[in-house]
Amino acid sequence: MPELDFTGLKDAAYHGFKPQFEKVVAVARRRRRRRVLTVATAAMLLAGSGVAVAARPDAPAPPSVGISGVRTPDFMPTPGGTPSPGTDQGVVTGRPVAGDLNHIYLRWSGCGGCGIRWAGTEDGGRHWRTGDLPVPVNATLDLRAAGPRTLVARYVPRSAPDDRYAEWIASTDGGRNWRKVQPRTAEALPAGWHVLGRRSGPTTEPLVAVDPATGDVVQLGRRSTLHNAMLVESVPAEAGLWVSGFTGERTATDGRIIGTGGAVEVSRDGGRTWSRHAFPDDLTASDDVGGPAVATRDGRTVYAIGRVRGSLVVWRSADGGTTWTRAAGTAAVGDRTIRAALRPDGVLVVQAGISAGEDPLMLASSDGGATWRRTALGPGADPRPVPGGFVQTGWPDSKGVWLSTDGANWSWLDPPELP
C-alpha cells in the first residue's frame, strides 16, 4: 500500500481547542466512518517466526493526495449516526497510541480474515505508513507505545484457554521490524521505563513496564490487593505509581459486582512498597473498573474524585496521600463516569460522562475543589503525558486523537484513511 500523505495535519495539531470547534484541520479526503468498538481481528502467523519476527512495511510511494478542509469533529459525537455514502464497511481500528506528539500509531484490519496491521505517523500526521503485525490468526491484541518509535503488542491466540498464554512482541523502529519478547518478573519496575495500564487492572494481572529504548518488558511480582483496581495513567511518572480500586465488593441485584470502600494506593519505589488510603464512603468514578479518579501533577498535591449518591465528591491531600481532607464544593453528576485531571495551570477539571449516551458535562475548579463552574465540553480531563505534551483519544466515539503541548489547549488529529 502506498504511503498516505496527510500534508497540513502537523500544523493543525498546534491550533488550540475551541468550543463548538469552529476551526478546521486539513484532512485528506476523510470520510465519516461508523463507530466501531475494538474487536479481535484475524492475522496470519508469519512462517518461521522463531525468536525474532519481522514485518516489512509497505514500500512508501508518496503520491499527491488532495486536501480538503473538514470541520473538527465534536468532542462527543452524537451516538448512532448514519455513515456517509461510500463509507468503508470493513475497516476496524483500535485505540490510537502515542509515543509523543508526532509519533501516533494504531492497529487496524481491513476485513475479518485480512490480518491485523499497524498504521503509524512520525511527523504529526503529514504522512502515514502501514505494515503487518506478526501475530497468530484471530489473536486478541493490545498495541501500546513506550517511546516515540518503541511499540509493544501483547496478544493472546484465540486457541489459548486464558490470558496466561499471552505473548509479547516489540519494535524499536516504529513498527517496521518486530521481535518476540519474554517478560521477566521483578520486585520493582525500573525507573525511567514506561508503565502500562491494562483494562483488567493490577488486581488480576501484574503491572508492566517497557524499556523505551529496547522494548524489553518487566512485570511486577506483587499484585494489588484492592478489588477491581486500575493503574492511574494520567499522572506524570515523577508522581509515582497510583492505583485506584475498592477495599470490598458486593453483588448487585442484577448480578453485577459493585466495589465498596473507594481507595487509592501509591508507590514511590517502582512498586516495591505501597501505602493505601481508604475513603469513608463508596467513592467511585465508574461502574466498571477502578475506584476514585486521581488527579495530580507532582505526587504531593493529589485529588481523589468521584461520586457518592449522585453528587461529586472531592478529597484533597497536600502530603502525597498521607492525609486527606474533603473539599467543600460539589455538583450533581448522577451516575455518570468521572474523569479528572489537574492541569499545569492549576485548574482542576472534571469530565462527568465519557460517552454521548451519558449526556456528559465538564466542570472546572480554580480553588482546589471548593467551588465548581460549568465549562465547555472538551478534552483535558483524561490526558496521557507524553514527551512534549499530552494526548487524549476520542476513541471509540471518534477514532482520532487530541494533542496538547500545555494540557489546556487542544487540537485534533484525524486518523488516516485506511483501505
Side-chain angles (χ1 to χ4, degrees):
M1 170 180 164
E3 183 181 65
L4 304 177
D5 190 343
F6 285 77
T7 306
L9 280 182
K10 183 176 181 181
D11 297 333
Y14 294 99
H15 290 278
F17 166 86
K18 301 294 183 183
Q20 303 304 316
F21 301 95
E22 296 176 349
K23 290 199 173 183
V24 298
V25 291
V27 181
R29 295 187 298 187
R30 180 180 183 268
R31 295 170 294 180
R32 296 180 181 235
R33 304 184 186 91
R34 290 182 305 175
R35 207 173 82 187
V36 185
L37 294 177
T38 182
V39 296
T41 52
M44 297 297 294
L45 177 63
L46 297 186
S49 57
V51 175
V53 291
R56 181 181 179 84
D58 293 333
S64 176
V65 177
I67 302 298
S68 61
V70 180
R71 180 177 179 269
T72 300
D74 292 335
F75 174 65
M76 200 68 65
T78 302
T82 301
S84 301
T87 298
D88 35 348
Q89 303 293 314
V91 173
V92 177
T93 63
R95 183 192 302 267
V97 296
D100 58 22
L101 296 181
N102 287 318
H103 294 76
I104 314 294
Y105 306 91
L106 55 83
R107 65 172 178 83
W108 67 282
S109 178
C111 67
C114 296
I116 306 176
R117 311 197 77 201
W118 61 269
T121 176
E122 298 182 348
D123 54 12
R126 294 180 65 85
H127 304 87
W128 290 81
R129 298 176 183 271
T130 73
D132 295 320
L133 282 168
V135 298
V137 173
N138 290 332
T140 59
L141 182 140
D142 184 21
L143 180 69
R144 296 298 186 98
R149 305 185 75 228
T150 300
L151 299 169
V152 293
R154 177 188 183 274
Y155 66 92
V156 182
R158 184 59 58 89
S159 60
D162 53 50
D163 282 2
R164 290 176 300 174
Y165 294 84
E167 298 187 51
W168 293 79
I169 55 175
S171 172
T172 57
D173 57 7
R176 291 164 176 79
N177 296 280
W178 296 84
R179 66 182 178 90
K180 284 191 174 181
V181 178
Q182 181 62 46
R184 63 180 177 87
T185 301
E187 294 184 359
L189 300 180
W193 287 32
H194 184 77
V195 182
L196 303 182
R198 302 197 63 252
R199 186 167 181 77
S200 56
T203 299
T204 57
E205 296 188 17
L207 292 177
V208 170
V210 180
D211 187 340
T214 66
D216 291 339
V217 177
V218 167
Q219 61 185 21
L220 194 62
R222 174 192 180 277
R223 302 186 184 188
S224 175
T225 56
L226 290 175
H227 295 273
N228 229 10
M230 283 293 291
L231 175 72
V232 181
E233 296 186 79
S234 59
V235 301
E238 55 269 24
L241 297 176
W242 288 83
V243 170
S244 176
F246 302 95
T247 58
E249 59 186 23
R250 62 179 175 84
T251 303
T253 55
D254 60 1
R256 291 181 300 128
I257 302 299
I258 305 297
T260 59
V264 294
E265 290 183 335
V266 59
S267 175
R268 314 285 183 183
D269 54 10
R272 189 182 303 274
T273 60
W274 294 81
S275 61
R276 174 189 292 188
H277 181 84
F279 299 95
D281 44 38
D282 292 338
L283 186 67
T284 181
S286 171
D287 286 331
D288 190 3
V289 289
V294 176
T296 184
R297 293 286 306 162
D298 57 9
R300 298 295 301 171
T301 300
V302 188
Y303 296 88
I305 303 171
R307 61 176 193 267
V308 177
R309 295 180 292 277
S311 296
L312 188 71
V313 172
V314 180
W315 289 84
R316 182 180 185 273
S317 174
D319 54 14
T322 302
T323 60
W324 297 80
T325 57
R326 182 167 172 170
T330 187
V333 294
D335 59 357
R336 294 177 176 92
T337 304
I338 303 297
R339 296 290 183 264
L342 185 62
R343 295 193 325 206
D345 59 5
V347 175
L348 184 62
V349 292
V350 166
Q351 179 183 330
I354 60 172
S355 67
E358 291 187 275
D359 187 21
L361 57 90
M362 290 287 289
L363 302 167
S365 176
S366 299
D367 52 15
T371 59
W372 292 92
R373 68 181 186 277
R374 288 285 297 268
T375 188
L377 185 65
D382 194 21
R384 298 293 185 269
V386 297
F390 306 87
V391 299
Q392 180 172 332
T393 73
W395 189 94
D397 291 285
S398 49
K399 291 177 284 188
V401 63
W402 298 97
L403 307 173
S404 176
T405 58
D406 58 8
N409 300 291
W410 295 81
S411 61
W412 172 257
L413 177 62
D414 209 59
E417 182 177 335
L418 299 166

